[in-house]
Amino acid sequence: MQDAITSLINTSDVQGRYLDDSGLERLTAYFHSGELRARSALSISANANTLVTQAVAKSLMYTDITAPGGNMYTCRRYAACIRDMDYFLRYATYAMLAGDVSILDERILNGLRETYNSLGVPISATIRAVQSLKEVTADLVGADAGKEMGRYFDHICAGLS
Amino acid sequence: MSLVTELILNADSESRYPAPKELRIFQDFLKSGEQRIRIASVLAQNEQNIVQTASARFWERCPVTPSNSGNPRKTASCQRDQGWYVRLVAYCILAGSEQPLVEIGTLGIKEMYTSLEIPLRNIVECMKCVKEESIAVLAPEDAIEVAPYFDYIIRALS
């Protein structure tokens, strides 16, 4: 995986250069955002279960997907769904700390759509759930941090669709 | 790899969120960003100068060496490498980790210089000179951040 720092280092290194001004500017902005990122991660980690519960209640619980014949029917499937939601939240938090999406591609998105298709997990419902996760997370961490977290939830959705 | 990536991968290997203590380390690291950017910029601006004075110092201490043999290609390669190591140290300063140095410049360093038939002892002396000249262009509180990375290169060579 890369983060906001190493992605700049890697692009500079292949050219044998130091970071240029625009790179240093981006780095300065990232360094300044440390407190916001750390504070958000702390509060997401303390409320992770609640966030997933809220997001599921908002998007999936009262739809046909939890009824007999739906892909979340049976406890086993329900449990698998909330486990994946836990993953999405945790990896989005990692990506937010890193200021870079690469960890999402490497650890979550590679092959996920194919896996879901083969398991019959509906993509559109998954995207709806991730969007709800984005909303409840923003409610918790506030507008600025919520917007930054939103970038990574949107990246998950884009990778699924 | 940076301090940030290291911390995230550690948490991920245990399938957990970063602990409060780790987040404090993360935050403190980002807070020191201004100093890191300053050091990296000073190294970038002074690279040529560092390489010139370090070379002079190196040839004084170690006159019989390929880069001082009168072959301009060997001199240029040696100075190019010195500049590269200054750049890698600047990356490490930004990343807060020796990993950029390891990944790009110290894994295989002994084997490489040995196969180029450059005595490792000479490279060590050369790196010591680059370290001394780099430190010389920095303020004392910045110099102590830089020195350990040069020591890391020197250790990798011995």
Side-chain angles (χ1 to χ4, degrees), chain B residues 44-57:
Chain B
Q45 282 152 18
N46 290 282
E47 185 202 284
Q48 282 314 309
N49 176 26
I50 292 169
V51 169
Q52 290 306 325
T53 49
S55 296
R57 193 185 279 231

Side-chain angles (χ1 to χ4, degrees), chain A residues 1 3 5-6 9 12-13 16-18 28 30-32 34-35 38 42 45 89-91 93-94 97-98 107, chain B residues 1-2 4-5 8 11-12 15-18 23 26-27 29-30 33-34 37 44 47 86-87 91 94 104:
Chain A
M1 68 165 281
D3 56 49
I5 309 165
T6 53
I9 290 177
S12 304
D13 183 51
R17 296 219 181 112
Y18 290 85
T28 306
Y30 176 70
F31 283 146
H32 281 161
E35 199 201 326
L42 208 54
S45 108
L89 182 60
R90 180 159 55 85
Y91 280 96
T93 308
Y94 290 160
L97 284 171
R107 308 245 159 152
Chain B
M1 178 92 82
S2 72
V4 174
T5 292
I8 292 170
D12 189 29
S15 302
R16 58 170 176 81
Y17 284 87
L23 288 171
F26 167 84
Q27 204 179 323
F29 169 67
L30 265 62
E34 230 157 85
I37 288 177
E47 185 202 284
V86 174
R87 177 166 55 81
Y91 291 165
L94 293 175
I104 308 168

Side-chain angles (χ1 to χ4, degrees), chain B residues 108-150:
Chain B
I109 189 175
K110 271 167 105 167
E111 291 80 353
M112 182 184 76
Y113 283 118
T114 303
S115 94
L116 291 168
E117 298 182 338
I118 298 167
L120 291 178
R121 215 182 314 127
N122 297 17
I123 299 286
V124 166
E125 202 53 55
C126 181
M127 287 301 156
K128 282 182 183 165
C129 296
V130 177
K131 173 189 168 187
E132 288 163 19
E133 295 300 334
S134 301
I135 284 172
V137 300
L138 292 162
E141 75 266 26
D142 293 349
I144 54 166
E145 295 292 323
V146 162
Y149 295 118
F150 283 108

